[in-house]
Every structure is written in structure tokens, then in C-alpha cells.
Amino acid sequence: MRRVIVDYKKLTPEVLTLLTQKYPDGYGDDDILVFDNHKNKTIEAVEVRTDEIIYLVKISSKLHYTMANFDDTDDLVLNNEGHIIINESFNNDEEE
């Protein structure tokens, strides 16, 4: 099974739907996986799966905001690559 790391910039409607189905009330500390990537940077992520892929979605306040405000995939704004565009007015001081 293939593993894919996803951050909020690469979030697709499919992955967002999987997240909100698995964590309808949000994710908790016990749901978070912590690991070091190939650049020795510590990553915190939550996991969702399909039959073919394990998605490790990076934790961020923008992810939490997007999940909390997700109602329907028809309301999502997507870029040319099919990734969800996060509300640009969302103020976030965290580093990219």
C-alpha cells in the first residue's frame, strides 16, 4: 500500500471528505502520528486510508479550520490542480 504525505496546500475534496468522515468531531491527541521526514523535520499528521493509499495529512491550524468549515464538496473552491483553496482571509501566524 502506498503512503502519501499531504499538507493543506495539496488537500483534495476526496481526502477532506475522508478526514471529516473519520474525524466528524475533529481529531484528538491520540489520533496524531509523529515522525521525522527525509529532511529530519518532525511531522505531525493524522491518517486516513483508501483501498490503495494511506494518506498522512499534516496537522495545521489551516487543516483544522478547513475541516471545521467543511459542509459540502460543492462549496469548495479548487485550483487548476484540483487542490482546495483555503480561505485567504484566514489569518495564520504559523510557519509554512
Side-chain angles (χ1 to χ4, degrees), residues 10-60:
K10 302 285 184 178
L11 196 60
T12 63
E14 175 192 18
V15 175
L16 181 57
T17 298
L18 291 170
L19 282 168
T20 57
Q21 288 173 349
K22 183 171 182 179
Y23 307 106
D25 298 320
Y27 49 84
D29 291 342
D30 292 341
D31 301 313
I32 297 173
L33 305 171
V34 180
F35 59 94
D36 291 338
N37 68 8
H38 65 282
K39 295 180 181 179
N40 263 353
K41 182 177 176 185
T42 300
I43 305 293
E44 293 183 340
V46 290
E47 179 184 280
V48 290
R49 295 174 179 241
T50 65
D51 291 337
E52 301 91 26
I53 301 173
I54 299 172
Y55 293 100
L56 300 173
V57 184
K58 291 183 186 180
I59 300 296
S60 71

Short mmCIF file of all heavy atoms in Angstrom, two decimals, residues 10-60:
data_model
loop_
_atom_site.label_atom_id
_atom_site.label_comp_id
_atom_site.label_asym_id
_atom_site.label_seq_id
_atom_site.Cartn_x
_atom_site.Cartn_y
_atom_site.Cartn_z
N LYS A 10 -2.14 20.85 -0.62
CA LYS A 10 -2.39 19.75 -1.56
C LYS A 10 -3.66 18.97 -1.21
O LYS A 10 -3.91 17.90 -1.75
CB LYS A 10 -1.21 18.78 -1.56
CG LYS A 10 0.11 19.41 -1.92
CD LYS A 10 0.20 19.70 -3.39
CE LYS A 10 1.58 20.24 -3.72
NZ LYS A 10 1.73 20.50 -5.12
N LEU A 11 -4.47 19.51 -0.32
CA LEU A 11 -5.69 18.84 0.12
C LEU A 11 -6.71 18.78 -1.02
O LEU A 11 -6.98 19.79 -1.67
CB LEU A 11 -6.27 19.61 1.31
CG LEU A 11 -7.31 18.91 2.16
CD1 LEU A 11 -6.75 17.63 2.77
CD2 LEU A 11 -7.79 19.84 3.25
N THR A 12 -7.24 17.60 -1.27
CA THR A 12 -8.25 17.42 -2.30
C THR A 12 -9.61 17.18 -1.65
O THR A 12 -9.68 16.81 -0.47
CB THR A 12 -7.92 16.21 -3.21
OG1 THR A 12 -7.94 15.02 -2.40
CG2 THR A 12 -6.57 16.36 -3.87
N PRO A 13 -10.69 17.37 -2.39
CA PRO A 13 -12.02 17.09 -1.83
C PRO A 13 -12.14 15.65 -1.32
O PRO A 13 -12.78 15.40 -0.30
CB PRO A 13 -12.97 17.36 -3.00
CG PRO A 13 -12.25 18.37 -3.83
CD PRO A 13 -10.79 17.99 -3.72
N GLU A 14 -11.53 14.69 -2.03
CA GLU A 14 -11.59 13.29 -1.62
C GLU A 14 -10.96 13.10 -0.25
O GLU A 14 -11.56 12.46 0.64
CB GLU A 14 -10.87 12.40 -2.64
CG GLU A 14 -10.79 10.94 -2.20
CD GLU A 14 -9.86 10.10 -3.04
OE1 GLU A 14 -9.01 10.64 -3.76
OE2 GLU A 14 -9.98 8.86 -2.93
N VAL A 15 -9.77 13.66 -0.04
CA VAL A 15 -9.08 13.50 1.24
C VAL A 15 -9.82 14.25 2.34
O VAL A 15 -9.97 13.74 3.45
CB VAL A 15 -7.61 13.94 1.13
CG1 VAL A 15 -6.92 13.89 2.49
CG2 VAL A 15 -6.86 13.06 0.14
N LEU A 16 -10.33 15.45 2.05
CA LEU A 16 -11.09 16.20 3.04
C LEU A 16 -12.35 15.44 3.45
O LEU A 16 -12.69 15.38 4.64
CB LEU A 16 -11.45 17.58 2.50
CG LEU A 16 -12.23 18.48 3.46
CD1 LEU A 16 -11.48 18.70 4.77
CD2 LEU A 16 -12.52 19.82 2.80
N THR A 17 -13.01 14.81 2.51
CA THR A 17 -14.19 14.00 2.83
C THR A 17 -13.81 12.83 3.72
O THR A 17 -14.50 12.55 4.71
CB THR A 17 -14.86 13.50 1.53
OG1 THR A 17 -15.28 14.63 0.77
CG2 THR A 17 -16.06 12.62 1.83
N LEU A 18 -12.71 12.15 3.40
CA LEU A 18 -12.24 11.04 4.24
C LEU A 18 -11.95 11.52 5.66
O LEU A 18 -12.29 10.85 6.64
CB LEU A 18 -10.99 10.40 3.64
CG LEU A 18 -11.15 9.62 2.35
CD1 LEU A 18 -9.79 9.26 1.76
CD2 LEU A 18 -11.98 8.37 2.57
N LEU A 19 -11.29 12.68 5.77
CA LEU A 19 -10.97 13.23 7.09
C LEU A 19 -12.21 13.53 7.91
O LEU A 19 -12.30 13.18 9.09
CB LEU A 19 -10.15 14.52 6.93
CG LEU A 19 -8.68 14.37 6.61
CD1 LEU A 19 -8.09 15.72 6.21
CD2 LEU A 19 -7.92 13.80 7.80
N THR A 20 -13.17 14.20 7.29
CA THR A 20 -14.37 14.58 8.04
C THR A 20 -15.24 13.38 8.37
O THR A 20 -15.96 13.40 9.37
CB THR A 20 -15.19 15.66 7.29
OG1 THR A 20 -15.52 15.19 6.00
CG2 THR A 20 -14.40 16.95 7.20
N GLN A 21 -15.17 12.33 7.57
CA GLN A 21 -15.89 11.10 7.89
C GLN A 21 -15.23 10.36 9.05
O GLN A 21 -15.90 9.85 9.95
CB GLN A 21 -16.00 10.20 6.67
CG GLN A 21 -16.94 10.70 5.63
CD GLN A 21 -16.91 9.89 4.34
OE1 GLN A 21 -16.04 9.05 4.13
NE2 GLN A 21 -17.85 10.17 3.46
N LYS A 22 -13.90 10.28 9.03
CA LYS A 22 -13.19 9.55 10.08
C LYS A 22 -13.16 10.34 11.38
O LYS A 22 -13.20 9.76 12.47
CB LYS A 22 -11.76 9.25 9.64
CG LYS A 22 -10.99 8.43 10.67
CD LYS A 22 -9.67 7.93 10.16
CE LYS A 22 -8.97 7.08 11.22
NZ LYS A 22 -7.69 6.56 10.73
N TYR A 23 -13.07 11.66 11.30
CA TYR A 23 -12.98 12.52 12.48
C TYR A 23 -14.11 13.55 12.46
O TYR A 23 -13.86 14.76 12.34
CB TYR A 23 -11.63 13.24 12.51
CG TYR A 23 -10.44 12.32 12.39
CD1 TYR A 23 -9.69 12.26 11.21
CD2 TYR A 23 -10.04 11.52 13.45
CE1 TYR A 23 -8.59 11.43 11.10
CE2 TYR A 23 -8.93 10.68 13.35
CZ TYR A 23 -8.22 10.64 12.18
OH TYR A 23 -7.13 9.81 12.07
N PRO A 24 -15.38 13.12 12.59
CA PRO A 24 -16.50 14.06 12.49
C PRO A 24 -16.51 15.12 13.59
O PRO A 24 -17.03 16.22 13.38
CB PRO A 24 -17.74 13.17 12.58
CG PRO A 24 -17.26 11.93 13.25
CD PRO A 24 -15.83 11.76 12.86
N ASP A 25 -15.91 14.82 14.72
CA ASP A 25 -15.84 15.78 15.81
C ASP A 25 -14.43 16.35 15.97
O ASP A 25 -14.09 16.90 17.01
CB ASP A 25 -16.28 15.12 17.13
CG ASP A 25 -17.72 14.65 17.07
OD1 ASP A 25 -18.56 15.38 16.49
OD2 ASP A 25 -18.01 13.55 17.58
N GLY A 26 -13.61 16.18 14.95
CA GLY A 26 -12.23 16.62 15.00
C GLY A 26 -11.33 15.51 15.51
O GLY A 26 -11.79 14.53 16.07
N TYR A 27 -10.06 15.66 15.30
CA TYR A 27 -9.09 14.67 15.76
C TYR A 27 -8.56 15.08 17.12
O TYR A 27 -8.56 16.23 17.51
CB TYR A 27 -7.95 14.50 14.75
CG TYR A 27 -7.34 15.80 14.31
CD1 TYR A 27 -6.36 16.42 15.06
CD2 TYR A 27 -7.74 16.43 13.13
CE1 TYR A 27 -5.80 17.63 14.67
CE2 TYR A 27 -7.21 17.64 12.74
CZ TYR A 27 -6.24 18.22 13.51
OH TYR A 27 -5.69 19.42 13.13
N GLY A 28 -8.10 14.08 17.86
CA GLY A 28 -7.54 14.33 19.19
C GLY A 28 -6.08 13.95 19.24
O GLY A 28 -5.49 13.47 18.26
N ASP A 29 -5.48 14.16 20.40
CA ASP A 29 -4.05 13.85 20.58
C ASP A 29 -3.74 12.39 20.26
O ASP A 29 -2.67 12.09 19.72
CB ASP A 29 -3.61 14.16 22.01
CG ASP A 29 -3.59 15.65 22.31
OD1 ASP A 29 -3.58 16.46 21.35
OD2 ASP A 29 -3.59 16.01 23.50
N ASP A 30 -4.64 11.47 20.58
CA ASP A 30 -4.41 10.05 20.32
C ASP A 30 -4.44 9.70 18.84
O ASP A 30 -3.97 8.64 18.44
CB ASP A 30 -5.44 9.19 21.06
CG ASP A 30 -5.28 9.25 22.57
OD1 ASP A 30 -4.18 9.64 23.04
OD2 ASP A 30 -6.24 8.91 23.28
N ASP A 31 -5.00 10.59 18.01
CA ASP A 31 -5.08 10.35 16.57
C ASP A 31 -3.85 10.83 15.81
O ASP A 31 -3.66 10.49 14.65
CB ASP A 31 -6.31 11.07 15.98
CG ASP A 31 -7.60 10.62 16.61
OD1 ASP A 31 -7.79 9.39 16.74
OD2 ASP A 31 -8.42 11.48 16.98
N ILE A 32 -3.01 11.61 16.47
CA ILE A 32 -1.88 12.25 15.79
C ILE A 32 -0.66 11.33 15.77
O ILE A 32 -0.25 10.79 16.80
CB ILE A 32 -1.53 13.59 16.48
CG1 ILE A 32 -2.72 14.54 16.37
CG2 ILE A 32 -0.27 14.20 15.86
CD1 ILE A 32 -2.56 15.83 17.14
N LEU A 33 -0.10 11.16 14.57
CA LEU A 33 1.13 10.40 14.38
C LEU A 33 2.28 11.40 14.28
O LEU A 33 2.16 12.42 13.61
CB LEU A 33 1.06 9.58 13.09
CG LEU A 33 -0.13 8.64 12.96
CD1 LEU A 33 -0.18 8.07 11.55
CD2 LEU A 33 -0.02 7.53 13.97
N VAL A 34 3.41 11.10 14.93
CA VAL A 34 4.57 11.96 14.89
C VAL A 34 5.74 11.17 14.32
O VAL A 34 6.01 10.06 14.75
CB VAL A 34 4.93 12.48 16.31
CG1 VAL A 34 6.16 13.38 16.26
CG2 VAL A 34 3.76 13.21 16.93
N PHE A 35 6.40 11.74 13.30
CA PHE A 35 7.54 11.07 12.67
C PHE A 35 8.46 12.11 12.04
O PHE A 35 8.08 13.27 11.87
CB PHE A 35 7.07 10.07 11.61
CG PHE A 35 6.24 10.67 10.50
CD1 PHE A 35 6.84 11.09 9.32
CD2 PHE A 35 4.87 10.83 10.64
CE1 PHE A 35 6.08 11.65 8.30
CE2 PHE A 35 4.11 11.39 9.64
CZ PHE A 35 4.71 11.81 8.46
N ASP A 36 9.68 11.71 11.73
CA ASP A 36 10.63 12.58 11.04
C ASP A 36 10.63 12.24 9.56
O ASP A 36 10.68 11.07 9.19
CB ASP A 36 12.04 12.41 11.60
CG ASP A 36 12.17 12.94 13.02
OD1 ASP A 36 11.34 13.78 13.41
OD2 ASP A 36 13.09 12.52 13.73
N ASN A 37 10.59 13.28 8.72
CA ASN A 37 10.63 13.04 7.27
C ASN A 37 12.08 12.86 6.81
O ASN A 37 13.00 12.83 7.63
CB ASN A 37 9.91 14.15 6.51
CG ASN A 37 10.61 15.50 6.59
OD1 ASN A 37 11.73 15.63 7.07
ND2 ASN A 37 9.94 16.53 6.09
N HIS A 38 12.28 12.75 5.51
CA HIS A 38 13.61 12.50 4.96
C HIS A 38 14.58 13.67 5.17
O HIS A 38 15.78 13.52 5.02
CB HIS A 38 13.52 12.15 3.47
CG HIS A 38 13.01 13.28 2.62
ND1 HIS A 38 11.68 13.61 2.56
CD2 HIS A 38 13.66 14.14 1.83
CE1 HIS A 38 11.53 14.65 1.76
NE2 HIS A 38 12.70 14.99 1.30
N LYS A 39 14.04 14.84 5.56
CA LYS A 39 14.89 16.01 5.85
C LYS A 39 15.09 16.18 7.35
O LYS A 39 15.54 17.22 7.80
CB LYS A 39 14.26 17.27 5.27
CG LYS A 39 14.18 17.27 3.76
CD LYS A 39 13.54 18.54 3.26
CE LYS A 39 13.45 18.52 1.74
NZ LYS A 39 12.80 19.73 1.24
N ASN A 40 14.74 15.16 8.13
CA ASN A 40 14.84 15.17 9.59
C ASN A 40 13.95 16.23 10.24
O ASN A 40 14.23 16.69 11.33
CB ASN A 40 16.28 15.33 10.07
CG ASN A 40 16.90 14.01 10.42
OD1 ASN A 40 16.23 12.98 10.45
ND2 ASN A 40 18.18 14.02 10.68
N LYS A 41 12.89 16.62 9.56
CA LYS A 41 11.92 17.56 10.12
C LYS A 41 10.79 16.75 10.75
O LYS A 41 10.27 15.81 10.14
CB LYS A 41 11.36 18.46 9.01
CG LYS A 41 10.39 19.49 9.51
CD LYS A 41 9.92 20.40 8.39
CE LYS A 41 8.88 21.36 8.92
NZ LYS A 41 8.31 22.18 7.85
N THR A 42 10.42 17.10 11.98
CA THR A 42 9.35 16.39 12.66
C THR A 42 8.00 16.78 12.07
O THR A 42 7.70 17.96 11.91
CB THR A 42 9.37 16.69 14.17
OG1 THR A 42 10.63 16.26 14.69
CG2 THR A 42 8.26 15.96 14.90
N ILE A 43 7.22 15.77 11.73
CA ILE A 43 5.91 15.95 11.12
C ILE A 43 4.85 15.38 12.06
O ILE A 43 5.03 14.30 12.62
CB ILE A 43 5.82 15.19 9.76
CG1 ILE A 43 6.92 15.61 8.81
CG2 ILE A 43 4.43 15.32 9.15
CD1 ILE A 43 6.84 17.02 8.33
N GLU A 44 3.76 16.11 12.23
CA GLU A 44 2.59 15.62 12.94
C GLU A 44 1.48 15.49 11.91
O GLU A 44 1.23 16.42 11.14
CB GLU A 44 2.18 16.58 14.05
CG GLU A 44 3.18 16.68 15.17
CD GLU A 44 2.71 17.58 16.29
OE1 GLU A 44 1.82 18.42 16.07
OE2 GLU A 44 3.25 17.44 17.39
N ALA A 45 0.83 14.33 11.90
CA ALA A 45 -0.18 14.07 10.88
C ALA A 45 -1.28 13.16 11.43
O ALA A 45 -1.09 12.48 12.44
CB ALA A 45 0.46 13.40 9.66
N VAL A 46 -2.42 13.17 10.74
CA VAL A 46 -3.48 12.21 11.01
C VAL A 46 -3.59 11.32 9.77
O VAL A 46 -3.24 11.72 8.67
CB VAL A 46 -4.83 12.88 11.33
CG1 VAL A 46 -4.79 13.55 12.69
CG2 VAL A 46 -5.25 13.86 10.26
N GLU A 47 -4.06 10.11 9.99
CA GLU A 47 -4.09 9.12 8.91
C GLU A 47 -5.51 8.84 8.46
O GLU A 47 -6.42 8.71 9.27
CB GLU A 47 -3.48 7.81 9.43
CG GLU A 47 -3.47 6.69 8.42
CD GLU A 47 -2.95 5.40 9.01
OE1 GLU A 47 -1.72 5.26 9.11
OE2 GLU A 47 -3.78 4.55 9.39
N VAL A 48 -5.68 8.78 7.13
CA VAL A 48 -6.91 8.27 6.53
C VAL A 48 -6.50 7.34 5.40
O VAL A 48 -5.42 7.49 4.82
CB VAL A 48 -7.85 9.39 6.01
CG1 VAL A 48 -8.48 10.15 7.14
CG2 VAL A 48 -7.15 10.33 5.07
N ARG A 49 -7.36 6.36 5.10
CA ARG A 49 -7.00 5.33 4.12
C ARG A 49 -8.08 5.12 3.08
O ARG A 49 -9.26 5.28 3.35
CB ARG A 49 -6.81 3.98 4.82
CG ARG A 49 -5.68 3.91 5.78
CD ARG A 49 -5.68 2.58 6.53
NE ARG A 49 -4.55 2.51 7.44
CZ ARG A 49 -3.61 1.60 7.36
NH1 ARG A 49 -3.66 0.65 6.44
NH2 ARG A 49 -2.61 1.59 8.22
N THR A 50 -7.61 4.75 1.91
CA THR A 50 -8.49 4.17 0.88
C THR A 50 -7.98 2.75 0.69
O THR A 50 -7.05 2.31 1.38
CB THR A 50 -8.41 4.95 -0.45
OG1 THR A 50 -7.09 4.80 -0.99
CG2 THR A 50 -8.75 6.42 -0.26
N ASP A 51 -8.53 2.03 -0.26
CA ASP A 51 -8.06 0.66 -0.52
C ASP A 51 -6.62 0.64 -1.05
O ASP A 51 -5.91 -0.32 -0.84
CB ASP A 51 -8.97 -0.04 -1.53
CG ASP A 51 -10.34 -0.32 -0.95
OD1 ASP A 51 -10.46 -0.39 0.30
OD2 ASP A 51 -11.30 -0.47 -1.73
N GLU A 52 -6.21 1.71 -1.72
CA GLU A 52 -4.89 1.74 -2.34
C GLU A 52 -3.87 2.63 -1.64
O GLU A 52 -2.67 2.45 -1.79
CB GLU A 52 -4.98 2.23 -3.80
CG GLU A 52 -5.85 1.40 -4.70
CD GLU A 52 -7.29 1.90 -4.72
OE1 GLU A 52 -7.53 3.08 -4.47
OE2 GLU A 52 -8.18 1.07 -4.97
N ILE A 53 -4.33 3.65 -0.90
CA ILE A 53 -3.42 4.68 -0.40
C ILE A 53 -3.66 4.96 1.08
O ILE A 53 -4.80 5.02 1.53
CB ILE A 53 -3.60 6.00 -1.20
CG1 ILE A 53 -3.32 5.77 -2.68
CG2 ILE A 53 -2.69 7.10 -0.65
CD1 ILE A 53 -3.64 6.96 -3.55
N ILE A 54 -2.56 5.16 1.81
CA ILE A 54 -2.62 5.69 3.17
C ILE A 54 -2.21 7.15 3.08
O ILE A 54 -1.11 7.47 2.64
CB ILE A 54 -1.65 4.95 4.11
CG1 ILE A 54 -2.01 3.47 4.21
CG2 ILE A 54 -1.65 5.60 5.50
CD1 ILE A 54 -0.98 2.64 4.96
N TYR A 55 -3.12 8.04 3.45
CA TYR A 55 -2.83 9.47 3.45
C TYR A 55 -2.41 9.88 4.86
O TYR A 55 -3.12 9.60 5.82
CB TYR A 55 -4.05 10.30 3.05
CG TYR A 55 -4.47 10.11 1.62
CD1 TYR A 55 -5.53 9.27 1.29
CD2 TYR A 55 -3.83 10.79 0.59
CE1 TYR A 55 -5.93 9.10 -0.04
CE2 TYR A 55 -4.22 10.63 -0.73
CZ TYR A 55 -5.27 9.78 -1.03
OH TYR A 55 -5.66 9.61 -2.33
N LEU A 56 -1.26 10.52 4.97
CA LEU A 56 -0.81 11.12 6.21
C LEU A 56 -0.95 12.63 6.02
O LEU A 56 -0.18 13.24 5.29
CB LEU A 56 0.63 10.73 6.51
CG LEU A 56 0.87 9.22 6.66
CD1 LEU A 56 2.35 8.94 6.78
CD2 LEU A 56 0.11 8.68 7.86
N VAL A 57 -1.98 13.20 6.63
CA VAL A 57 -2.31 14.61 6.41
C VAL A 57 -1.68 15.43 7.54
O VAL A 57 -1.98 15.23 8.72
CB VAL A 57 -3.84 14.82 6.38
CG1 VAL A 57 -4.17 16.27 6.06
CG2 VAL A 57 -4.49 13.88 5.35
N LYS A 58 -0.80 16.36 7.14
CA LYS A 58 -0.10 17.19 8.12
C LYS A 58 -1.08 18.03 8.92
O LYS A 58 -2.00 18.62 8.37
CB LYS A 58 0.90 18.12 7.43
CG LYS A 58 2.08 17.41 6.83
CD LYS A 58 3.01 18.45 6.24
CE LYS A 58 4.15 17.86 5.48
NZ LYS A 58 5.03 18.91 4.93
N ILE A 59 -0.83 18.08 10.22
CA ILE A 59 -1.64 18.87 11.13
C ILE A 59 -1.25 20.34 11.01
O ILE A 59 -0.08 20.68 10.97
CB ILE A 59 -1.39 18.43 12.59
CG1 ILE A 59 -1.74 16.96 12.79
CG2 ILE A 59 -2.13 19.32 13.57
CD1 ILE A 59 -3.18 16.64 12.60
N SER A 60 -2.25 21.20 10.94
CA SER A 60 -2.03 22.65 10.96
C SER A 60 -3.34 23.31 11.35
O SER A 60 -4.41 22.70 11.28
CB SER A 60 -1.58 23.16 9.59
OG SER A 60 -2.66 23.10 8.67
#
